[in-house]
Amino acid sequence: MYILFAALLGLILGSFYSVCASRYGTGKTIIKPARSECPQCGHQLSVLENIPLVSFIIQKGRCKHCGVRIPFFYPLIEIFSMAWAVLAALHASSPAEWGALMIIGGICLVASAIDLQTFLLPDVLTYPGAVVILAASYAGVLHIDFIQSLLGAFIGAFALWAVAALYKLIRKIDGMGFGDVKFMLMLGALTGLDHLSIFVLIASLCALLFSIISLRKKVGISTTYIPFGPFLASGALLTYLYGNQIAAAIQ
Ligand SMILES: [Zn+2]
């Protein structure tokens, strides 16, 4: 029952996240227009056309009005949100931890979706994300020591900044944005110093998997600039959930 509730909430939140991500940088806000509309014909979606995931499947991924294909990207955000809500519920040892993980996962999802579309990681997400995690670990809500969290944030961000600076020195182009460094401040806080290496390993594996299945064609990502946000986020979230098991397995 608890898991079913988590899945439903994840799905509904995912729908909200995809609205946030799709409206970023368009001049629209989260509350205005109140109803989602088709990006092609401007047709306002009715309640029935706006059910997370279900509407997409029933309408076979097309706008009911003009027939334009709706990018699979949006229901994918809903699926990821649902999956995270369930994984976090299975893992969390208290409702407070689950709540904190839902907020953290939400920030990660919206930031990743925006990064994929615009190559930007907005400060309005990364900084509050870091504060939420540090506050939660300080309050003992997360299963991570506050000092570990603090060290993970700053050493992680510094290491990524150093890699970015080195890459720029050698290739003479920006391979990584400063947004990634700020995102690392948040994610390093989530994994802690001890698990930074596991985090980087999982993030690299996710990036490798992504280039193998070559999703880049579908989302139209340029080859010179890679949005690292989604890989960093996946790596950190999975490390938070399974870091201890992975560390035990490696040793
Ligand atoms: Zn339409």
Side-chain angles (χ1 to χ4, degrees):
M1 199 60 208
Y2 179 42
I3 297 301
L4 195 70
F5 167 75
L8 263 173
L9 186 70
L11 205 53
I12 293 164
L13 285 173
S15 178
F16 169 69
Y17 299 152
S18 73
V19 170
C20 295
S22 67
R23 289 184 182 179
Y24 182 79
T26 60
K28 292 176 193 164
T29 65
I30 295 164
I31 42 167
K32 219 175 156 188
R35 286 246 181 108
S36 294
E37 49 191 30
C38 166
Q40 183 70 25
C41 67
H43 163 66
Q44 284 211 341
L45 301 187
S46 68
V47 177
L48 276 179
E49 290 168 272
N50 218 349
I51 308 166
L53 209 56
V54 177
S55 302
F56 186 86
I57 295 167
I58 291 174
Q59 291 165 221
K60 297 191 180 72
R62 287 178 186 281
C63 167
K64 225 164 136 186
H65 203 67
C66 68
V68 75
R69 206 169 259 288
I70 300 157
F72 186 58
F73 189 59
Y74 299 116
L76 202 60
I77 294 173
E78 294 169 355
I79 293 170
F80 273 117
S81 173
M82 182 171 70
W84 174 251
V86 171
L87 284 178
L90 289 171
H91 176 91
S93 52
S94 68
E97 188 185 8
W98 185 64
L101 288 178
M102 290 300 283
I103 296 171
I104 295 162
I107 293 174
C108 283
L109 250 174
V110 176
S112 298
I114 290 174
D115 194 21
L116 277 170
Q117 290 175 305
T118 64
F119 307 118
L120 292 168
L121 284 162
D123 288 351
V124 68
L125 291 170
T126 51
Y127 284 139
V131 172
V132 165
I133 294 170
L134 288 170
S137 76
Y138 185 75
V141 169
L142 298 174
H143 70 239
I144 182 162
D145 180 60
F146 178 64
I147 299 298
Q148 269 290 321
S149 197
L150 207 59
L151 288 174
F154 287 100
I155 294 178
F158 176 76
L160 196 69
W161 172 81
V163 169
L166 200 69
Y167 186 85
K168 196 177 178 183
L169 204 69
I170 297 167
R171 296 279 309 267
K172 307 266 185 274
I173 49 165
D174 280 315
M176 216 180 280
F178 198 61
D180 291 309
V181 174
K182 290 180 241 176
F183 201 25
M184 194 66 178
L185 204 59
M186 168 184 174
L187 301 175
L190 184 65
T191 63
L193 180 62
D194 280 351
H195 284 168
L196 271 184
S197 52
I198 294 173
F199 163 27
V200 172
L201 180 74
I202 301 178
S204 312
L205 287 175
C206 289
L208 190 69
L209 200 71
F210 177 85
S211 51
I212 290 171
I213 58 174
S214 203
L215 207 67
R216 73 174 69 184
K217 275 181 199 152
K218 285 178 198 158
V219 268
I221 291 159
S222 79
T223 46
T224 46
Y225 192 96
I226 307 155
F228 282 109
F231 311 124
L232 293 176
S234 322
L237 293 177
L238 290 172
T239 300
Y240 182 80
L241 296 187
Y242 306 112
N244 287 332
Q245 284 101 308
I246 295 169
I250 293 172
Q251 273 161 12

